[in-house]
Amino acid sequence: MGLKLHRAHPWDLAPAQAMALQGRLRTWVRLVDELPAEVRRVAGVDVGFEERGAVTRAAIAILSFPELRLVESAVARLPTAFPYIPGLLSFREVPAILAALEKICQPPDLVLVDGQGYAHPRRLGIACHLGVLTELPTIGVGKTRLIGTHPPVPDQRGAWVPLWDHGEEVGAVLRTRPGTKPLFVSAGHRISLPSAVAWVLRCSAGFRLPETTRQAHRLASG
DNA sequence: GCGACAG
DNA sequence: ATCTTGTCGC
């Protein structure tokens, strides 16, 4: 009670159909800043698996901002209904994420998603997909690269370089902590890339991954 | 045809 | 993602 789905579509699709749907959903993505004037609740979503992959387990952790203290959380378990195919990750994980979001009392002002946003072959990574369906501002935070090339990232917290794909700046490779691998940040929905980078840094506190992601991962896995 | 390939 | 112990380094 609290989440309003602004768009719905079938999930039982074949890979080719899913790819076609991504082409239609991408037209609804807005990469401009539309965050509330006061951001007080930032969320992290992550997915894990049980029963050797037969069950998908999604978790959402909502933290207060700027304190970054856990204020609400939810977990949802659904039968896994789509295989892992690079480029189609959202069709495997979003159904469970929506189920977890529906259990939340008060929707967050911003959501950090595990995986890419705009930095996707068809510009519709899981963060964009989730954002378009819920109309929540979202950011894609990937631990590894899906597409694109980039120059070396200076080994200092806050340093970042653009991620390029076919002559387009699709994301940023950000160092949240020196001596560790950088993160792949890209806009999901209702936010710009510069803002996305700034928010990932604001949601981080001494570790490579943002606190939102760490909390969500703790709930989705172990 | 040969690699690359979010989680 | 998941299957899994110890081990190298700050």
Side-chain angles (χ1 to χ4, degrees), chain A residues 1-7 101-102 107 132-136:
Chain A
M1 200 186 96
L3 173 73
K4 165 163 48 174
L5 209 52
H6 285 237
R7 187 168 293 281
L101 275 170
E102 286 168 4
V132 166
L133 296 186
T134 63
E135 276 300 309
L136 289 173

Side-chain angles (χ1 to χ4, degrees), chain A residues 3-221:
Chain A
L3 173 73
K4 165 163 48 174
L5 209 52
H6 285 237
R7 187 168 293 281
H9 64 68
W11 292 100
D12 57 326
L13 306 170
Q17 304 177 305
M19 284 180 67
L21 179 53
Q22 291 182 319
R24 271 172 278 147
L25 292 174
R26 65 182 288 180
T27 68
W28 295 97
V29 175
R30 299 199 298 285
L31 303 184
V32 293
D33 292 306
E34 294 181 1
L35 305 190
E38 293 288 300
V39 173
R40 304 199 168 178
R41 292 161 66 87
V42 292
V45 297
D46 190 29
V47 170
F49 296 88
E50 301 174 358
E51 310 300 308
R52 289 180 310 161
V55 172
T56 299
R57 173 173 169 159
I60 175 167
I62 298 182
L63 318 196
S64 60
F65 186 87
E67 300 79 14
L68 301 181
R69 313 287 288 215
L70 185 66
V71 295
E72 191 178 350
S73 68
V75 173
R77 301 163 79 258
L78 260 61
T80 303
F82 199 89
Y84 168 67
I85 300 174
L88 296 179
L89 177 69
S90 60
F91 289 87
R92 175 177 172 83
E93 305 190 343
V94 168
I97 292 174
L98 290 177
L101 275 170
E102 286 168 4
K103 296 185 177 183
I104 292 299
C105 295
Q106 189 183 335
D109 300 311
L110 173 66
V111 182
L112 274 63
V113 186
D114 256 58
Q116 316 298 326
Y118 191 73
H120 176 279
R122 290 169 295 284
R123 309 296 184 254
L124 195 88
I126 187 169
C128 301
H129 197 158
L130 182 66
V132 166
L133 296 186
T134 63
E135 276 300 309
L136 289 173
T138 61
I139 296 174
V141 182
K143 294 183 290 296
T144 61
R145 183 195 70 92
L146 172 60
I147 59 158
T149 59
H150 66 83
V153 189
D155 190 38
Q156 191 161 84
R157 170 176 165 82
W160 67 275
V161 297
L163 178 63
W164 299 94
D165 182 53
H166 296 291
E168 184 180 18
E169 184 180 55
V170 299
V173 189
L174 171 70
R175 188 84 64 183
T176 50
R177 174 185 173 151
T180 61
K181 296 187 302 179
L183 261 32
F184 292 77
V185 179
S186 56
H189 186 53
R190 305 185 74 179
I191 196 167
S192 65
L193 178 58
S195 294
V197 170
W199 277 106
V200 168
L201 285 172
R202 285 195 278 256
C203 291
S204 302
F207 295 92
R208 178 168 91 114
L209 298 177
E211 289 306 302
T212 43
T213 304
R214 301 183 69 232
Q215 292 297 318
H217 189 281
R218 181 177 58 72
L219 297 170
S221 304

